[in-house]
Amino acid sequence: MSNNSKLTLEGQALLVISAQNKGLGPLDRDLRAEEIAQLGWNLLHEDLSLPVAVLQKEKLEQNLAWMQKFIHAHGVELAPHGKTTMAPRLFEMQMRGGAWGITLATAHQTSVAWRHGLRRVLMANQLVGKQNMALVSRLLEDPEFEFYCLVDSADLVHQLSPFFAQRGQRLHVLLEIGVPGGRGGVRTEEQLQSVLDVLAESSSAIALDGVELYEGILDDETVVRAFLDRAVAITKRLMIENRFDRRRPLLSGAGSTWFDVVAEVFSGADFPQRVEIVLRPGCYLTHDAGHYREAHAKILERNQIARSIFVGLQPALQVWACVQSVPEPTRAIVGIGKRDASFDLGLPMPALHFRPGEPAPTPAPSHWTLTKMMDQHGYLQLAKEDDVRVGDMIAFDISHPCLTFDKWRIIPIIDGSYKVVDVVQTFF
Amino acid sequence: MSNNSKLTLEGQALLVISAQNKGLGPLDRDLRAEEIAQLGWNLLHEDLSLPVAVLQKEKLEQNLAWMQKFIHAHGVELAPHGKTTMAPRLFEMQMRGGAWGITLATAHQTSVAWRHGLRRVLMANQLVGKQNMALVSRLLEDPEFEFYCLVDSADLVHQLSPFFAQRGQRLHVLLEIGVPGGRGGVRTEEQLQSVLDVLAESSSAIALDGVELYEGILDDETVVRAFLDRAVAITKRLMIENRFDRRRPLLSGAGSTWFDVVAEVFSGADFPQRVEIVLRPGCYLTHDAGHYREAHAKILERNQIARSIFVGLQPALQVWACVQSVPEPTRAIVGIGKRDASFDLGLPMPALHFRPGEPAPTPAPSHWTLTKMMDQHGYLQLAKEDDVRVGDMIAFDISHPCLTFDKWRIIPIIDGSYKVVDVVQTFF
């Protein structure tokens, strides 16, 4: 992380927490994150206005360490997908933990990361549109900034090339490989050749530095492996054809579901020159108790190294909300809605039950189920004999961290005693 | 809108637009909304970084005027649900347009509204939790601030009463009526009586000012009417029992789906004293082209006054995104994802197609369909012969404005020539 840029400092200045954010304690004025950590807020002392999203410090650290061990054991690099959290303070934690860089999805996200000191970004997306190109062009004026984005069509290269040529800049790109029925990426030999041809003509403005794919759209391991093998074969061919500008070409893949298979296939391939293999999972840092817990269980089944690393990934993000009403013996209305937690890959799951004044939360009974979320409310299904009252606090585990993070502008980090020890700010 | 409060001014100061927000044009530094309107940005000149959400000024104004006419014709009051937009600049527009107040869902939202000058809030929710009560208590120190929230259990009144009594404050509440299988609100005579009993004991700290319901959870008009009739009957009974503290008790209902029926039933009821009927639709301001278009069509069928008002509600909120890749003849990958638009009541719908450099957008063919959204991407289904290229801009109509607004911190307002004439900031 570079700290000597004027714009970095501007970025840091913006880590002031506005008293207008939800999920904070009483604040008379805006404070810096460091100042908030000094206030001694404790979730169980009712110091925060619910609903609130919280990150658990120990679990974040465990997850960071787990992934670094995994990456190290496979001899590959990690560029965690930052779109998950869009929290520069977490990017910083990931970089300090040994990440090679941060992956992002858009020019806007890249710009935010750069303002907060990031100097190596893999934008795992096509750079399209005049202002998005202009945003990136401006960042490229910083000679310390290393940036890669994707190309998968001659059309796109034809748009990028004059734009960056005119500015005397050179854009570094990876060739995206795709599958029929998938997202971006060249499908056919004909498409591949047409991109290569125009890249060859555009080499003064566009440097081809590697190959990229995103296998996360696939459900079947055999298909994933075939896709990875194809990327390996294309990478070898482009090496032989001397197409790459980078001394060690980049080969990048892996979302949070198949990173073990990607690590195994890519690191096991025999290339005619050294490659830098960059994996891009985003959800490992907070993990979850739904979609990615299931994905992780499969990774542990498949991958011996993953199994050997202590404890595995832990869900580190929860949303806490109050019971507002118990209008029927088996129904509580809780102040958690679609505005507060993701719902696209499963609704939040009750994890803890806490009655203010009691010493500690207890695990939520397994029969408690959130059956529905409206914008600001959740319906919690209970058994008739359950002791749930208005004012009780319920902690929910979530499924799909990405779409929970983007509902919060600030997220307190708590320690094992539920004390707020830090605050992260998001930039969506 | 009061302008003489120190905190109002703090609020205004926060209407500075951070250059770190997505969906803006090139910004070297933070600017006030007014300054941004002076920059002459035009969406069709590619002055904005896509994806971007935009509000259409004329349609907003039409919708504002339509609803005011509707409300006026029924002799009722309007407290638009502000949780939809959480945009103080739009609240201000609604208040100038004659709204009685703003409805909100949480203490945090109420606090944001007050900071931005709002002085009458109906919080259509229970006030639960120590810090949420503290937030409201602090706002009640402002003698100009008029605030109502809901109670539906003796338990809740038992928690509110000592809290506000201790502060020497009086909290004004509405009794929430609910239906079996619904959200909050008393279901049974026994529940009703227990709330009334404890309210009678707590009158020094809690003032009962009216009756409230939310009929939006119901699908059937007959059931809605029966629910409304029950609220009317309870209101009459409480008048006769002299339970209300307010000279003109409040009677409030209506989301965006049944507001015509609520207006009709409530305004047609014969009460023994005058009531103030307050409707709370939130989605009318921007409307949509999906869920609420369908709901509005039914309102126009049911309600003669609604039919008589010129033009009806118009969808005023769109999300524009770039085509990033056309990897297969019938598939374009567009830079619009779950991070950019709502998807819970239908995916965004292609409305316009614009190729930069051409004079004007053309309507998107009706066979274009967004078939899937990932976090940052959408899959656009085309016909083989369609002329769609990388870099083309697509405008999408949306379904469910609430869950589109909360994905944007700033939203430009454009005029009929796509020029940015204002910017609204959201506070979620």
Side-chain angles (χ1 to χ4, degrees), chain A residues 311-334:
Chain A
V311 82
L313 298 178
Q314 300 295 314
L317 174 62
Q318 286 185 326
V319 178
W320 288 65
C322 286
V323 173
Q324 305 200 160
S325 179
V326 190
E328 297 173 23
T330 60
R331 168 164 298 183
I333 306 301
V334 185

PDB file of all heavy atoms in Angstrom, chain A residues 311-334:
ATOM      1  N   VAL A 311      -9.274 -25.693  10.996  1.00  0.00           N
ATOM      2  CA  VAL A 311     -10.611 -25.114  11.233  1.00  0.00           C
ATOM      3  C   VAL A 311     -11.467 -24.761   9.990  1.00  0.00           C
ATOM      4  O   VAL A 311     -12.681 -24.831  10.039  1.00  0.00           O
ATOM      5  CB  VAL A 311     -10.543 -23.911  12.234  1.00  0.00           C
ATOM      6  CG1 VAL A 311     -10.132 -22.632  11.566  1.00  0.00           C
ATOM      7  CG2 VAL A 311     -11.890 -23.733  12.947  1.00  0.00           C
ATOM      8  N   GLY A 312     -10.843 -24.446   8.868  1.00  0.00           N
ATOM      9  CA  GLY A 312     -11.657 -24.098   7.699  1.00  0.00           C
ATOM     10  C   GLY A 312     -12.223 -22.696   7.820  1.00  0.00           C
ATOM     11  O   GLY A 312     -12.016 -22.004   8.819  1.00  0.00           O
ATOM     12  N   LEU A 313     -12.938 -22.253   6.797  1.00  0.00           N
ATOM     13  CA  LEU A 313     -13.500 -20.902   6.801  1.00  0.00           C
ATOM     14  C   LEU A 313     -14.683 -20.811   7.776  1.00  0.00           C
ATOM     15  O   LEU A 313     -15.434 -21.773   7.939  1.00  0.00           O
ATOM     16  CB  LEU A 313     -13.939 -20.521   5.389  1.00  0.00           C
ATOM     17  CG  LEU A 313     -12.823 -20.483   4.345  1.00  0.00           C
ATOM     18  CD1 LEU A 313     -13.391 -20.130   2.971  1.00  0.00           C
ATOM     19  CD2 LEU A 313     -11.726 -19.493   4.725  1.00  0.00           C
ATOM     20  N   GLN A 314     -14.808 -19.662   8.404  1.00  0.00           N
ATOM     21  CA  GLN A 314     -15.851 -19.429   9.411  1.00  0.00           C
ATOM     22  C   GLN A 314     -16.729 -18.247   9.009  1.00  0.00           C
ATOM     23  O   GLN A 314     -16.197 -17.221   8.600  1.00  0.00           O
ATOM     24  CB  GLN A 314     -15.187 -19.071  10.753  1.00  0.00           C
ATOM     25  CG  GLN A 314     -14.260 -20.142  11.297  1.00  0.00           C
ATOM     26  CD  GLN A 314     -15.023 -21.397  11.649  1.00  0.00           C
ATOM     27  OE1 GLN A 314     -16.067 -21.330  12.286  1.00  0.00           O
ATOM     28  NE2 GLN A 314     -14.544 -22.540  11.186  1.00  0.00           N
ATOM     29  N   PRO A 315     -18.052 -18.348   9.189  1.00  0.00           N
ATOM     30  CA  PRO A 315     -18.903 -17.187   8.861  1.00  0.00           C
ATOM     31  C   PRO A 315     -18.626 -16.028   9.822  1.00  0.00           C
ATOM     32  O   PRO A 315     -18.760 -16.194  11.031  1.00  0.00           O
ATOM     33  CB  PRO A 315     -20.331 -17.714   9.017  1.00  0.00           C
ATOM     34  CG  PRO A 315     -20.229 -19.040   9.679  1.00  0.00           C
ATOM     35  CD  PRO A 315     -18.814 -19.514   9.602  1.00  0.00           C
ATOM     36  N   ALA A 316     -18.216 -14.882   9.274  1.00  0.00           N
ATOM     37  CA  ALA A 316     -17.743 -13.767  10.101  1.00  0.00           C
ATOM     38  C   ALA A 316     -18.655 -12.544  10.031  1.00  0.00           C
ATOM     39  O   ALA A 316     -18.375 -11.525  10.647  1.00  0.00           O
ATOM     40  CB  ALA A 316     -16.336 -13.364   9.659  1.00  0.00           C
ATOM     41  N   LEU A 317     -19.729 -12.654   9.271  1.00  0.00           N
ATOM     42  CA  LEU A 317     -20.625 -11.501   9.086  1.00  0.00           C
ATOM     43  C   LEU A 317     -22.017 -11.874   9.586  1.00  0.00           C
ATOM     44  O   LEU A 317     -22.586 -12.881   9.149  1.00  0.00           O
ATOM     45  CB  LEU A 317     -20.678 -11.153   7.587  1.00  0.00           C
ATOM     46  CG  LEU A 317     -21.650 -10.079   7.126  1.00  0.00           C
ATOM     47  CD1 LEU A 317     -21.348  -8.724   7.757  1.00  0.00           C
ATOM     48  CD2 LEU A 317     -21.618  -9.952   5.599  1.00  0.00           C
ATOM     49  N   GLN A 318     -22.546 -11.081  10.502  1.00  0.00           N
ATOM     50  CA  GLN A 318     -23.908 -11.315  10.988  1.00  0.00           C
ATOM     51  C   GLN A 318     -24.695 -10.013  10.972  1.00  0.00           C
ATOM     52  O   GLN A 318     -24.132  -8.926  11.044  1.00  0.00           O
ATOM     53  CB  GLN A 318     -23.889 -11.844  12.432  1.00  0.00           C
ATOM     54  CG  GLN A 318     -23.437 -13.301  12.542  1.00  0.00           C
ATOM     55  CD  GLN A 318     -23.547 -13.843  13.958  1.00  0.00           C
ATOM     56  OE1 GLN A 318     -23.341 -13.107  14.921  1.00  0.00           O
ATOM     57  NE2 GLN A 318     -23.850 -15.130  14.077  1.00  0.00           N
ATOM     58  N   VAL A 319     -25.992 -10.155  10.874  1.00  0.00           N
ATOM     59  CA  VAL A 319     -26.882  -9.001  11.021  1.00  0.00           C
ATOM     60  C   VAL A 319     -27.740  -9.226  12.263  1.00  0.00           C
ATOM     61  O   VAL A 319     -28.352 -10.292  12.411  1.00  0.00           O
ATOM     62  CB  VAL A 319     -27.766  -8.808   9.774  1.00  0.00           C
ATOM     63  CG1 VAL A 319     -28.732  -7.633   9.972  1.00  0.00           C
ATOM     64  CG2 VAL A 319     -26.904  -8.570   8.532  1.00  0.00           C
ATOM     65  N   TRP A 320     -27.729  -8.261  13.158  1.00  0.00           N
ATOM     66  CA  TRP A 320     -28.514  -8.330  14.396  1.00  0.00           C
ATOM     67  C   TRP A 320     -29.740  -7.427  14.258  1.00  0.00           C
ATOM     68  O   TRP A 320     -29.645  -6.310  13.750  1.00  0.00           O
ATOM     69  CB  TRP A 320     -27.683  -7.859  15.584  1.00  0.00           C
ATOM     70  CG  TRP A 320     -26.607  -8.815  16.003  1.00  0.00           C
ATOM     71  CD1 TRP A 320     -25.504  -9.188  15.285  1.00  0.00           C
ATOM     72  CD2 TRP A 320     -26.527  -9.526  17.251  1.00  0.00           C
ATOM     73  NE1 TRP A 320     -24.747 -10.081  16.007  1.00  0.00           N
ATOM     74  CE2 TRP A 320     -25.353 -10.306  17.223  1.00  0.00           C
ATOM     75  CE3 TRP A 320     -27.329  -9.575  18.398  1.00  0.00           C
ATOM     76  CZ2 TRP A 320     -24.958 -11.121  18.292  1.00  0.00           C
ATOM     77  CZ3 TRP A 320     -26.947 -10.380  19.462  1.00  0.00           C
ATOM     78  CH2 TRP A 320     -25.773 -11.155  19.411  1.00  0.00           C
ATOM     79  N   ALA A 321     -30.868  -7.917  14.766  1.00  0.00           N
ATOM     80  CA  ALA A 321     -32.093  -7.123  14.690  1.00  0.00           C
ATOM     81  C   ALA A 321     -32.948  -7.374  15.919  1.00  0.00           C
ATOM     82  O   ALA A 321     -32.771  -8.378  16.620  1.00  0.00           O
ATOM     83  CB  ALA A 321     -32.864  -7.492  13.424  1.00  0.00           C
ATOM     84  N   CYS A 322     -33.865  -6.448  16.176  1.00  0.00           N
ATOM     85  CA  CYS A 322     -34.761  -6.559  17.332  1.00  0.00           C
ATOM     86  C   CYS A 322     -36.070  -7.228  16.956  1.00  0.00           C
ATOM     87  O   CYS A 322     -36.600  -7.008  15.868  1.00  0.00           O
ATOM     88  CB  CYS A 322     -35.133  -5.175  17.849  1.00  0.00           C
ATOM     89  SG  CYS A 322     -33.841  -4.330  18.727  1.00  0.00           S
ATOM     90  N   VAL A 323     -36.626  -7.962  17.892  1.00  0.00           N
ATOM     91  CA  VAL A 323     -38.009  -8.417  17.782  1.00  0.00           C
ATOM     92  C   VAL A 323     -38.904  -7.203  18.037  1.00  0.00           C
ATOM     93  O   VAL A 323     -38.777  -6.540  19.069  1.00  0.00           O
ATOM     94  CB  VAL A 323     -38.312  -9.528  18.803  1.00  0.00           C
ATOM     95  CG1 VAL A 323     -39.793  -9.885  18.797  1.00  0.00           C
ATOM     96  CG2 VAL A 323     -37.457 -10.752  18.502  1.00  0.00           C
ATOM     97  N   GLN A 324     -39.769  -6.916  17.080  1.00  0.00           N
ATOM     98  CA  GLN A 324     -40.643  -5.739  17.206  1.00  0.00           C
ATOM     99  C   GLN A 324     -42.029  -6.086  17.705  1.00  0.00           C
ATOM    100  O   GLN A 324     -42.729  -5.245  18.249  1.00  0.00           O
ATOM    101  CB  GLN A 324     -40.811  -5.086  15.847  1.00  0.00           C
ATOM    102  CG  GLN A 324     -39.516  -4.750  15.209  1.00  0.00           C
ATOM    103  CD  GLN A 324     -39.683  -3.710  14.130  1.00  0.00           C
ATOM    104  OE1 GLN A 324     -38.726  -3.069  13.764  1.00  0.00           O
ATOM    105  NE2 GLN A 324     -40.905  -3.531  13.638  1.00  0.00           N
ATOM    106  N   SER A 325     -42.419  -7.318  17.434  1.00  0.00           N
ATOM    107  CA  SER A 325     -43.789  -7.695  17.743  1.00  0.00           C
ATOM    108  C   SER A 325     -43.846  -9.222  17.733  1.00  0.00           C
ATOM    109  O   SER A 325     -43.115  -9.867  16.979  1.00  0.00           O
ATOM    110  CB  SER A 325     -44.713  -7.102  16.660  1.00  0.00           C
ATOM    111  OG  SER A 325     -46.065  -7.443  16.891  1.00  0.00           O
ATOM    112  N   VAL A 326     -44.668  -9.767  18.613  1.00  0.00           N
ATOM    113  CA  VAL A 326     -44.934 -11.218  18.575  1.00  0.00           C
ATOM    114  C   VAL A 326     -46.458 -11.344  18.474  1.00  0.00           C
ATOM    115  O   VAL A 326     -47.134 -11.680  19.429  1.00  0.00           O
ATOM    116  CB  VAL A 326     -44.389 -11.942  19.830  1.00  0.00           C
ATOM    117  CG1 VAL A 326     -44.449 -13.463  19.643  1.00  0.00           C
ATOM    118  CG2 VAL A 326     -42.948 -11.519  20.114  1.00  0.00           C
ATOM    119  N   PRO A 327     -46.987 -11.045  17.292  1.00  0.00           N
ATOM    120  CA  PRO A 327     -48.438 -10.881  17.185  1.00  0.00           C
ATOM    121  C   PRO A 327     -49.204 -12.195  17.191  1.00  0.00           C
ATOM    122  O   PRO A 327     -50.417 -12.189  17.372  1.00  0.00           O
ATOM    123  CB  PRO A 327     -48.608 -10.156  15.847  1.00  0.00           C
ATOM    124  CG  PRO A 327     -47.423 -10.582  15.040  1.00  0.00           C
ATOM    125  CD  PRO A 327     -46.306 -10.760  16.024  1.00  0.00           C
ATOM    126  N   GLU A 328     -48.508 -13.288  16.965  1.00  0.00           N
ATOM    127  CA  GLU A 328     -49.134 -14.604  17.016  1.00  0.00           C
ATOM    128  C   GLU A 328     -48.154 -15.519  17.748  1.00  0.00           C
ATOM    129  O   GLU A 328     -46.936 -15.287  17.699  1.00  0.00           O
ATOM    130  CB  GLU A 328     -49.400 -15.125  15.592  1.00  0.00           C
ATOM    131  CG  GLU A 328     -50.388 -14.245  14.836  1.00  0.00           C
ATOM    132  CD  GLU A 328     -50.564 -14.626  13.363  1.00  0.00           C
ATOM    133  OE1 GLU A 328     -50.285 -15.784  13.001  1.00  0.00           O
ATOM    134  OE2 GLU A 328     -50.978 -13.746  12.590  1.00  0.00           O
ATOM    135  N   PRO A 329     -48.656 -16.581  18.410  1.00  0.00           N
ATOM    136  CA  PRO A 329     -47.761 -17.406  19.245  1.00  0.00           C
ATOM    137  C   PRO A 329     -46.591 -18.005  18.476  1.00  0.00           C
ATOM    138  O   PRO A 329     -45.540 -18.270  19.053  1.00  0.00           O
ATOM    139  CB  PRO A 329     -48.682 -18.520  19.753  1.00  0.00           C
ATOM    140  CG  PRO A 329     -50.069 -17.994  19.620  1.00  0.00           C
ATOM    141  CD  PRO A 329     -50.058 -17.020  18.480  1.00  0.00           C
ATOM    142  N   THR A 330     -46.734 -18.195  17.180  1.00  0.00           N
ATOM    143  CA  THR A 330     -45.644 -18.815  16.419  1.00  0.00           C
ATOM    144  C   THR A 330     -44.995 -17.840  15.439  1.00  0.00           C
ATOM    145  O   THR A 330     -44.272 -18.258  14.531  1.00  0.00           O
ATOM    146  CB  THR A 330     -46.153 -20.041  15.630  1.00  0.00           C
ATOM    147  OG1 THR A 330     -47.178 -19.603  14.733  1.00  0.00           O
ATOM    148  CG2 THR A 330     -46.715 -21.097  16.563  1.00  0.00           C
ATOM    149  N   ARG A 331     -45.271 -16.569  15.592  1.00  0.00           N
ATOM    150  CA  ARG A 331     -44.679 -15.590  14.666  1.00  0.00           C
ATOM    151  C   ARG A 331     -44.133 -14.374  15.402  1.00  0.00           C
ATOM    152  O   ARG A 331     -44.863 -13.696  16.128  1.00  0.00           O
ATOM    153  CB  ARG A 331     -45.722 -15.129  13.647  1.00  0.00           C
ATOM    154  CG  ARG A 331     -45.269 -13.898  12.822  1.00  0.00           C
ATOM    155  CD  ARG A 331     -46.085 -13.678  11.598  1.00  0.00           C
ATOM    156  NE  ARG A 331     -45.963 -14.807  10.695  1.00  0.00           N
ATOM    157  CZ  ARG A 331     -46.520 -14.875   9.497  1.00  0.00           C
ATOM    158  NH1 ARG A 331     -47.245 -13.865   9.058  1.00  0.00           N
ATOM    159  NH2 ARG A 331     -46.359 -15.939   8.741  1.00  0.00           N
ATOM    160  N   ALA A 332     -42.837 -14.090  15.157  1.00  0.00           N
ATOM    161  CA  ALA A 332     -42.271 -12.825  15.620  1.00  0.00           C
ATOM    162  C   ALA A 332     -41.938 -11.981  14.399  1.00  0.00           C
ATOM    163  O   ALA A 332     -41.506 -12.506  13.368  1.00  0.00           O
ATOM    164  CB  ALA A 332     -41.016 -13.075  16.449  1.00  0.00           C
ATOM    165  N   ILE A 333     -42.170 -10.671  14.519  1.00  0.00           N
ATOM    166  CA  ILE A 333     -41.784  -9.746  13.456  1.00  0.00           C
ATOM    167  C   ILE A 333     -40.477  -9.101  13.903  1.00  0.00           C
ATOM    168  O   ILE A 333     -40.394  -8.509  14.978  1.00  0.00           O
ATOM    169  CB  ILE A 333     -42.868  -8.678  13.231  1.00  0.00           C
ATOM    170  CG1 ILE A 333     -44.245  -9.329  12.970  1.00  0.00           C
ATOM    171  CG2 ILE A 333     -42.471  -7.750  12.090  1.00  0.00           C
ATOM    172  CD1 ILE A 333     -44.310 -10.251  11.771  1.00  0.00           C
ATOM    173  N   VAL A 334     -39.452  -9.259  13.050  1.00  0.00           N
ATOM    174  CA  VAL A 334     -38.110  -8.817  13.411  1.00  0.00           C
ATOM    175  C   VAL A 334     -37.694  -7.695  12.463  1.00  0.00           C
ATOM    176  O   VAL A 334     -38.065  -7.698  11.279  1.00  0.00           O
ATOM    177  CB  VAL A 334     -37.123 -10.011  13.323  1.00  0.00           C
ATOM    178  CG1 VAL A 334     -35.741  -9.610  13.804  1.00  0.00           C
ATOM    179  CG2 VAL A 334     -37.637 -11.185  14.147  1.00  0.00           C
TER     180      VAL A 334
END
